[in-house]
Amino acid sequence: MLIPGDCTLFSGGAPGTESFFGSMAEKYGVQEVNFSFDGHQTERTRGVRVLTGDELALKDVSLSYVSKLLRREYTRAPIFRKVLQSICWQVTSGHEVYVVGAILEDNTVRGGTGWGAEFAKICNKPLLVFDQNRDGWFRWENDSWLPQNKPVIGHRLFTATGTRFLEANGRAAVEELFANSFGK
C-alpha cells in the first residue's frame, strides 16, 4: 500500500471531479498539483501551479486533430486550447490516469474530459474511467473497456480529471478509490 504523503495528485482543480479528487487528496494527506493558467477559474487553491505561455506552448495540440480523434467539433477559443494544453500537463505528469464521466459507444469519453482519456491512451498510461451512467469503473486495455472492480491507486504520481457534473455515484466511487488505496 502506498504512503499518502509520498503520493501526488496531478489535476486541474476545476469544479466537479477535479475539485473532489483534490479534496480527497487533502483529506488523505496526498500532495496536490493543480495546473492552471492566467484566466482559468479553479475551485482548488491548494497546490496551484500556474503555467506560463511558454509552458503551455510545449503541450500545444491541433484542435483539428482532437476534433477528428474524438469525432466532435471543439471550439477554437484560445481559452479552450489552454485547457487542452493544461490537460496534457496533467496526463504527462502522472503515471496513471483516473477519469469520471461517461464512455460513449465509440469508446471515447464524453465532453472535454474525453481529451484527457484519449491523451492517456496516446501516452500509453494506465487509464481507468468511472462511467456514471453505467455506475462502474472500466480500464482501457487492448483497445477496449473492461470492467474493473475496486480499483486501487497503484502509482505515487497519478492524474485525475473528469466531468464538472459529478453525481453521487461518482463521488462515492472516488471516496472508495481513496479508501481502498490509502486504508482509511
Side-chain angles (χ1 to χ4, degrees):
M1 188 169 285
L2 295 171
I3 298 168
D6 293 343
C7 297
T8 303
L9 163 67
F10 295 96
S11 195
T17 300
E18 292 180 353
S19 179
F20 192 69
F21 259 93
S23 67
M24 294 304 296
E26 186 170 13
K27 174 182 176 180
Y28 280 86
V30 171
Q31 298 173 65
E32 186 177 357
V33 175
N34 287 297
F35 290 106
S36 188
F37 50 87
D38 286 337
H40 185 234
Q41 294 180 351
T42 62
E43 280 192 355
R44 300 293 299 165
T45 57
R46 181 175 176 249
V48 173
R49 164 79 162 77
V50 178
L51 297 165
T52 66
D54 287 344
E55 288 171 321
L56 287 167
L58 290 173
K59 304 292 186 189
D60 200 14
V61 295
S62 161
L63 294 178
S64 297
Y65 173 73
V66 173
S67 293
K68 187 178 285 185
L69 183 67
L70 296 174
R71 295 182 258 316
R72 54 193 89 112
E73 193 61 36
Y74 287 104
T75 177
R76 302 275 184 230
I79 193 91
F80 187 72
R81 178 181 296 281
K82 290 178 181 179
V83 168
L84 295 180
Q85 292 165 328
S86 69
I87 290 171
C88 290
W89 275 95
Q90 293 170 36
V91 170
T92 57
S93 297
H95 290 244
E96 62 187 355
V97 179
Y98 294 89
V99 176
V100 177
I103 299 170
L104 302 175
E105 286 185 27
D106 66 1
N107 283 332
T108 63
V109 176
R110 177 179 294 135
T113 297
W115 173 239
E118 288 306 306
F119 193 61
K121 291 177 190 177
I122 290 167
C123 295
N124 203 29
K125 304 267 180 156
L127 171 63
L128 284 100
V129 173
F130 182 80
D131 187 320
Q132 294 185 129
N133 295 338
R134 296 187 212 172
D135 197 27
W137 285 101
F138 294 84
R139 77 178 181 281
W140 182 252
E141 189 173 306
N142 298 324
D143 296 331
S144 62
W145 293 106
L146 303 174
Q148 176 71 50
N149 292 323
K150 298 189 185 261
V152 175
I153 296 167
H155 295 276
R156 289 183 320 101
L157 307 175
F158 64 100
T159 298
T161 189
T163 180
R164 291 178 179 264
F165 307 104
L166 186 62
E167 297 174 11
N169 65 343
R171 279 181 174 30
V174 172
E175 287 174 335
E176 183 178 31
L177 174 66
F178 273 83
N180 291 343
S181 302
F182 302 115
K184 285 188 183 177

